[in-house]
Amino acid sequence: MAFSSKTEKRILLSPPHMSGKEQWYVNEAFQTNWIAPLGPHVDEFERKAAAYAGTRGAVAVNSGTAAIHLALIQLGVEKGDTVFCSTLTFIASANPIVYQGAEPVFIDSDEGSWNMSPQALEKAFIQAKKENRLPKAVIVVHLYGQNARMDELSALCGHYQVPIIEDAAESLGTEYKGRKSGSFGEFGIYSFNGNKIITTSGGGMLISNNLKKLDKARNLASQAREPAPYYQHEKTGFNYRMSNILAGIGIAQMDVLEERVEAKRALFVRYKESLSRLEGFHFMPEVEESRSNRWLTTLTVDQLSVSGLIRRLEEENIEARHVWKPLHRQPLFRHCRYIPHSEEDSVSDRLFKTGLCLPSGTSMTSQEQDRVISVIEHYYKEQSLSSMWKKAVTK
Ligand SMILES: *Cc1c(COP(=O)(O)O)cnc(C)c1O
């Protein structure tokens, strides 16, 4: 083999990238002994996130999953309800539906955005209306930083008067028609998990213009304590709040968000310039009038085995991944309903079969990126030669 493999430094998919300023906030929390609970960093992080998103408020929590859960509760999702959800996504988008005892209905993607297909959503609404079982909410995911077609999706949800929760865990920093991803629905959520565009090592944010509902969510996230001089409880709450130390990391990370978007977009362009020369390599498109944060550079590879390519990259100590396996294909959800883009075409299934995510860490050097590119080019050549050879032999 042409490469020195495991002796090379590992290239990760999307590792944390600190700016250096985080330490200052962490130290300050130590100096003031504001280790817990909550505290001034949490308030500032919430203010910063809301100002950035352009929403009236924000609630910092300990994960993006918790933020989705709180949003569902605020929208009254209960046992026996249904919730529509994008199928091509990480399991965390749908798990909170199950926490509430409700049932997800999975909606396919469209080709141009990879996100929720307005055509499939409309079909789902028509069916649900007929059965007199409209969903309580629609969870729209913005995959790999690509904003979903919010104009069409919002119009449909508006028509049926069903609120939207935007799962913007992967799309912090993305813009759609001049507005920030996550700010279009009744609620939006961000994640600060370790592999996201910015991180607090773990955390999430719930954003909304509805301050009353945000206050209720904030209260539920802190064990639903009632205002009384002693501990009084009327509802079952959760322990979902973010710590003051982690919020300090988040404040400093927010300051470099725009830089991170620029860096991710530059990585995407560089991958695309070299690899789209190879036959059958197609990069994720960008929805009109939007600017993706390109959280992960994602493409489809038509003529090679994606698993084979991922294995080869792994041999060279490079982390790459399949595109999310659609949730309607997960054994966990095998009993759930699924609405494909059209009778003949399940777009998410196709994207899963040929989709590939490449290392997209913002601290990756161009030499490292070149290493990834050349491993892929070599694999492509090798496979093309071997298939030509096979054809020649079987003639
Ligand atoms: C990461 C992620 C989440 C969950 O965020 P956590 O902070 O890890 O709980 C939800 N949805 C999507 C699409 C994600 O990528």
Side-chain angles (χ1 to χ4, degrees), residues 62-66 68 89-90 92-93 141 143 167 169-170 189-193 195-196 203-204 295 324:
N62 57 18
S63 73
T65 312
I68 297 172
T89 182
F90 179 45
S93 304
V141 182
L143 209 64
D167 179 347
E170 300 177 2
I189 75 97
Y190 297 128
S191 164
F192 307 108
N193 184 38
N195 63 4
K196 297 303 197 293
W295 172 53
W324 301 124

